[in-house]
Amino acid sequence: MLDILITNATLPDGRTGQSIAIAGGKILEVGLNVTGAAGRTIDAGGCLVTPPFIDPHFHLDSTLSLGEPRLNQSGTLLEGIQLWGELKPHLTGDAIKDRVRELARWSIAKGTLAIRSHVDTSDPRMINVDALIEVREELKPYIDIQLVAFPQDGYFRSAGNVENVARALDKGVDVVGGIPHFERTMEDGARSVRALCELAADRGLRVDMHCDETDDPMSRHIETLTAETRRLGLEGRVAGSHLTSMHSMDNYYVSKLLPLMAESEIHAIPNPLINITLQGRHDTYPKRRGMTRVKEMTAQGINVALGHDCVMDPWYSLGSHDMLEVAHMAVHVGQMTGVEEMKAMFAAVTENSAKAMGLEGYGIAKGCNADLVILQAGDPMEAIRLKPNRLFVLRRGKVIAEAPPQMSTVSIGSESYSVDFRRA
């Protein structure tokens, strides 16, 4: 007997009228004529059924800390860093875990079931690291959490961070991180990239670096990251996050850089909501958009995965951890309103992010984990347009979140109309 049978589903690749048979936490079959007795049958009603949304770049240790100890009055990156520095001495493990648990409830409701979170290793007390490792295990039945050892104050710039990153990895943090553009010199930044990639290679780990999160076109640490990836045989295991300096780089240089990134199988993780609000702050007009060259990287065949980065913290006072909001912003700021481009941005918050994180068992096919989201939309483009309700969220074949369809009743004269903003 099946645990759940989903019928009349539309899939992201355009297949319609599909049924999905689920048992033992796995997808047993997907097709047009799948039948069988089931403990629960869910009629998707032609709505889009997708694998869960994934956030490949986030900061769980700071999430929902907005206003502690005060608000970011300027809204800038540097004031956010200053605020985080003021808050860190007062952090407690319990407070971090409570905020992460609350954020996790939001994430589940939005169908976001995997998160890669950078955890600040600059505090030798390791409070952030210990708290997130504990809550990672606690939430494992519901959300996959990967942790990145992130030397927020600089790997070489901040005393003790070389040792702290190693300590965090020894404790069980999953990924090696870095922030080369925040080192004191370009040379130190490049040196940090080399050292951290060597550390990852020695330990058999993945790499995800905050890379060139600046408007400075001469910040080119992505070039070093690409070179080290090839030198150390890390292809497919390395991500460059943000990459915002690329929006200011010379086109000729970028024409050389992108093929090198593609050859090294670098994953690119822009964060549209945050990049466009924090970058370009020194510009008057014309004002740079701040987001990296998503369209060009996609055309080059580079795996582009989109991150949310922040929710209600010192750097970003908004957000609900809705990855469709991220894709929606990317479509607009990246001028990616072509049909295939919008589909690519939906993939960037689903399958591309799964690839960047190296998740196994992800997708809608026989043998995949039964992690699924049913949206009140008919296809990926409509999902990006509406950012609709997640009618059902399934984790390993169990419904862990439900929401009623969004519907308004409009009365005009003697007639009443039901409105859900979908075209008939």
Side-chain angles (χ1 to χ4, degrees):
M1 182 171 175
L2 301 173
D3 295 327
I4 291 179
L5 179 64
I6 300 174
T7 62
N8 197 18
T10 298
L11 303 186
D13 62 10
R15 284 178 287 168
T16 60
Q18 300 292 299
S19 294
I20 305 170
I22 297 168
K26 297 287 185 178
I27 296 174
L28 297 187
E29 195 172 352
V30 180
L32 287 170
N33 299 304
V34 178
T35 59
R40 181 174 186 180
T41 298
I42 299 175
D43 183 357
C47 287
L48 179 64
V49 180
T50 178
F53 298 107
I54 296 174
D55 186 352
H57 186 106
F58 198 68
H59 293 265
L60 283 172
D61 49 1
S62 62
T63 194
L64 304 185
S65 64
L66 183 69
E68 301 177 22
R70 55 186 175 82
L71 292 173
N72 187 334
Q73 295 296 326
S74 66
T76 61
L77 173 64
L78 291 180
E79 186 175 351
I81 293 173
Q82 179 183 344
L83 275 172
W84 180 238
E86 293 173 13
L87 176 58
K88 278 196 290 189
H90 306 288
L91 289 173
T92 67
D94 287 341
I96 291 171
K97 288 184 285 187
D98 285 345
R99 288 191 279 102
V100 172
R101 291 182 186 115
E102 182 176 0
L103 189 279
R105 294 191 288 271
W106 297 13
S107 305
I108 290 167
K110 293 295 187 182
T112 303
L113 300 187
I115 302 169
R116 175 181 280 180
S117 174
H118 297 254
V119 52
D120 188 358
T121 62
S122 300
D123 186 342
R125 297 175 300 166
M126 293 279 126
I127 288 174
N128 307 35
V129 172
D130 291 336
L132 290 187
I133 287 175
E134 184 177 331
V135 81
R136 176 187 66 186
E137 300 309 309
E138 176 187 322
L139 294 173
K140 199 169 186 177
Y142 311 100
I143 297 179
D144 293 309
I145 296 176
Q146 278 185 3
L147 299 178
V148 183
F150 176 48
Q152 171 85 65
D153 297 337
Y155 187 60
F156 293 129
R157 179 174 179 173
S158 177
N161 244 338
V162 172
E163 294 78 14
N164 290 346
V165 167
R167 288 173 59 203
L169 297 174
D170 289 342
K171 285 174 175 285
V173 169
D174 309 284
V175 181
V176 176
I179 186 167
H181 56 277
F182 197 64
E183 301 294 345
R184 293 194 181 277
T185 65
M186 289 288 185
E187 181 181 353
D188 279 352
R191 189 162 60 95
S192 76
V193 172
R194 287 191 290 272
L196 288 161
C197 284
E198 288 171 356
L199 180 63
D202 289 344
R203 291 177 177 249
L205 299 177
R206 291 177 174 268
V207 176
D208 188 340
M209 291 198 187
H210 285 58
C211 205
D212 304 322
E213 188 184 2
T214 171
D215 297 326
D216 180 5
M218 299 310 294
S219 183
R220 297 178 174 183
H221 296 298
I222 181 58
E223 181 181 73
T224 305
L225 183 62
T226 299
E228 291 302 305
T229 298
R230 289 300 295 271
R231 180 176 73 87
L232 297 167
L234 294 172
E235 289 91 343
R237 291 162 49 192
V238 176
S241 290
H242 292 292
L243 305 175
T244 57
S245 69
M246 201 183 297
H247 70 64
S248 301
M249 288 177 180
D250 174 79
N251 285 336
Y252 179 80
Y253 175 73
V254 172
S255 73
K256 167 196 169 186
L257 176 62
L258 294 184
L260 294 175
M261 291 175 64
E263 289 174 13
S264 297
E265 300 176 37
I266 294 281
H267 306 285
I269 308 180
N271 300 279
L273 296 172
I274 312 304
N275 293 156
I276 68 165
T277 54
L278 294 184
Q279 304 309 130
R281 290 287 183 140
H282 293 281
D283 294 355
T284 51
Y285 290 95
K287 185 180 283 286
R288 286 167 286 188
R289 290 172 177 266
M291 191 171 76
T292 193
R293 303 191 187 206
V294 172
K295 182 181 291 195
E296 291 82 358
M297 288 193 291
T298 300
Q300 190 69 48
I302 295 168
N303 185 55
V304 177
L306 300 177
H308 202 300
D309 200 5
C310 309
V311 170
M312 297 184 70
D313 69 4
W315 295 274
Y316 189 63
S317 59
L318 306 172
S320 61
H321 215 202
D322 184 349
M323 296 308 295
L324 282 175
E325 185 174 1
V326 176
H328 186 268
M329 184 60 72
V331 162
H332 284 81
V333 73
Q335 297 180 327
M336 298 186 69
T337 50
V339 172
E340 294 305 316
E341 291 172 336
M342 285 192 275
K343 290 179 180 178
M345 292 303 92
F346 188 87
V349 294
T350 52
E351 61 190 82
N352 292 10
S353 290
K355 183 178 180 182
M357 288 179 63
L359 297 181
E360 297 180 355
Y362 181 89
I364 303 182
K366 183 177 180 178
C368 290
N369 294 326
D371 299 345
L372 300 166
V373 180
I374 303 179
L375 296 160
Q376 190 183 350
D379 57 51
M381 289 173 58
E382 189 169 68
I384 290 174
R385 177 173 70 87
L386 296 178
K387 304 182 287 293
N389 276 10
R390 281 63 165 171
L391 303 177
F392 296 91
V393 179
L394 284 74
R395 171 74 169 180
R396 300 300 193 265
K398 295 181 180 179
V399 175
I400 61 171
E402 297 184 48
Q406 182 183 18
M407 190 70 69
S408 296
T409 300
V410 177
S411 298
I412 299 178
S414 60
E415 299 292 332
S416 292
Y417 303 89
S418 295
V419 177
D420 66 358
F421 304 97
R422 297 178 61 190
R423 291 296 303 272

